[in-house]
Amino acid sequence: MRNDYQRARYVNPYTDFGFKKLFGTEMNKELLISFINSLFNGKEVVKDLTYLNTEHLGGRELDRKAVFDVYCENEKGEKILVEMQKAEQQFFKDRSLYYATFPIREQAERGDWDYSLKAVYVIGILNFNIDDENDSYFHHEVQLTDQRTKEVFYDKLTFIYLEMPKFNKTEEELDGMFEKWLFVLRNLSRLLERPQALQERVFTKLFEAAEIAKFTKTEYEAYEESLKVYRDWQNTIRTAINKGLEEGREKGLEEGRAEGLEKGRAEGLEKGRAEEKAAIARNLKSLGLTTAQIAQATGLPAKEIDKL
């Protein structure tokens, strides 16, 4: 029996295959250019892009390598790194900074060089939240700034993060190309047909490229494998939460029965709820989620989570 993902008409862009199919191929370069220009909103206009090697080695043989999702440069030689992040990592910001060092270092020239650099943009499309304080603030643009004046100190290194779970606009509410692109990325695999609001020519190309029925046999098999990896990760998160709930609930009920009295049962259930939260927190912590994310999911104080 075919599952929900297989019944989908369009590819899931949160899978490695889906993201690279839409944004990482020469034949679909127009899609990437349109998305990046909508993101820059006139501050920068990309006329053309050249795809670069996505696998990079460190300066020494033992250095860790980095593999980018999409890596390219515009007609001015500025480097643009685009990453689809399916889940939070404990040192996500460190990883972003580490990845940014590769397009910086590779600009070094042999012989006489004045250290002049082309701009580097790191764009992260995130399937999780990095800021839980403001539900409407989902578009982060980060540069080096002077702490006193709050002015930009260096404008050639820019990190752009899009918290996709916070973007919940309906088709009728979309305003401009940037929001249309966010809507597509958030909802593509759930759509059964092309929305009326997305009539621009670039979206005609996108929906043609994304239609699973048009994949070759090799593409379909690669997509299925990529879907499996994506589903496994989602199931791992859900399993951690469910396991924590069950462990905490059972422990609380056992303590309640041992007490034998109504008061004891009430206290036991209260302890059980606390154990539920602690068990969930331990499982999520083992998966590398941040303290802030675990606190949001469980309601536990950060200090208590750090002790687990």
Side-chain angles (χ1 to χ4, degrees):
M1 182 177 292
R2 293 167 66 85
N3 58 41
D4 290 340
Y5 287 105
Q6 290 173 316
R7 285 197 296 269
R9 181 176 181 182
Y10 300 110
V11 70
N12 186 335
Y14 289 102
T15 62
D16 289 339
F17 176 90
F19 187 71
K20 290 175 182 176
K21 168 79 173 175
L22 298 178
F23 291 122
T25 61
E26 188 69 32
M27 70 171 55
N28 291 328
K29 181 168 65 174
E30 178 186 356
L31 304 181
L32 181 61
I33 292 175
S34 174
F35 169 68
I36 291 175
N37 280 334
S38 76
L39 181 61
F40 288 160
N41 193 30
K43 290 184 290 186
E44 178 88 18
V45 177
V46 176
K47 298 178 181 178
D48 193 20
L49 290 173
T50 301
Y51 286 102
L52 304 175
N53 182 19
T54 58
E55 184 169 322
H56 293 258
L57 300 175
R60 300 172 302 169
E61 184 177 353
L62 297 178
D63 284 349
R64 185 179 179 86
K65 71 178 181 180
V67 181
F68 306 149
D69 287 341
V70 173
Y71 181 42
C72 53
E73 67 178 12
N74 63 15
E75 66 279 2
K76 295 186 290 186
E78 297 172 334
K79 314 297 182 181
I80 303 173
L81 194 165
V82 187
E83 288 278 296
M84 171 65 82
Q85 293 292 324
K86 296 184 287 293
E88 172 73 6
Q89 296 181 357
Q90 185 175 5
F91 299 107
F92 165 72
K93 294 177 183 178
D94 302 67
R95 180 180 184 273
S96 289
L97 186 60
Y98 175 69
Y99 270 31
T101 64
F102 287 88
I104 293 173
R105 287 184 296 170
E106 70 180 15
Q107 296 185 53
E109 299 178 7
R110 293 183 179 276
D112 293 335
W113 178 46
D114 60 3
Y115 290 94
S116 176
L117 295 170
K118 299 290 186 180
V120 173
Y121 297 91
V122 179
I123 301 171
I125 303 170
L126 315 180
N127 194 22
F128 56 89
N129 295 336
I130 56 175
D131 173 22
D132 296 320
E133 298 297 323
N134 192 330
D135 290 339
S136 63
Y137 181 41
F138 63 88
H139 180 186
H140 302 263
E141 187 167 319
V142 182
Q143 291 180 321
L144 293 174
T145 60
D146 186 299
Q147 286 295 297
R148 187 180 69 82
T149 65
K150 305 303 178 183
E151 294 180 354
V152 175
F153 172 76
Y154 186 75
D155 63 358
K156 291 184 181 180
L157 178 60
T158 305
F159 296 89
I160 301 173
Y161 300 119
L162 305 174
E163 297 174 282
M164 298 305 296
K166 292 183 180 179
F167 184 81
N168 295 305
K169 285 196 174 184
T170 64
E171 179 185 348
E172 294 73 23
E173 296 172 321
L174 300 179
D175 181 20
M177 283 296 288
F178 178 53
E179 290 190 357
K180 290 181 180 183
W181 268 111
L182 294 185
F183 180 84
V184 167
L185 290 173
R186 181 78 195 274
N187 299 288
L188 182 59
S189 63
R190 295 192 291 267
L191 297 175
L192 298 179
E193 58 185 16
R194 178 180 174 181
Q196 288 297 316
L198 307 179
Q199 292 305 309
E200 289 81 359
R201 186 180 65 83
V202 70
F203 292 120
T204 299
K205 186 175 182 65
L206 178 136
F207 280 96
E208 289 177 354
E211 191 163 359
I212 297 171
K214 295 181 179 179
F215 288 0
T216 65
K217 183 176 183 294
T218 300
E219 286 177 327
Y220 183 78
E221 290 174 351
Y223 179 48
E224 282 294 297
E225 181 61 29
S226 192
L227 265 178
K228 180 180 182 300
V229 173
Y230 178 78
R231 289 196 298 262
D232 285 347
W233 173 253
Q234 296 295 318
N235 288 333
T236 298
I237 296 293
R238 283 194 294 268
T239 298
I241 293 175
N242 292 335
K243 184 178 179 182
L245 285 170
E246 188 63 29
E247 289 176 357
R249 190 175 296 118
E250 288 180 0
K251 186 170 183 179
L253 289 173
E254 287 175 3
E255 292 182 0
R257 284 192 291 267
E259 293 287 343
L261 299 173
E262 188 63 30
K263 180 180 178 182
R265 283 195 294 270
E267 290 178 353
L269 288 172
E270 185 63 31
K271 291 179 181 178
R273 283 190 285 269
E275 283 295 331
E276 283 182 5
K277 294 180 179 181
I280 292 173
R282 281 192 292 269
N283 285 326
L284 294 179
K285 195 171 185 179
S286 69
L287 293 173
L289 272 68
T290 65
T291 298
Q293 287 182 305
I294 297 172
Q296 183 189 23
T298 63
L300 291 174
K303 290 183 178 179
E304 191 169 329
I305 293 171
D306 291 337
K307 294 178 182 178
L308 296 175

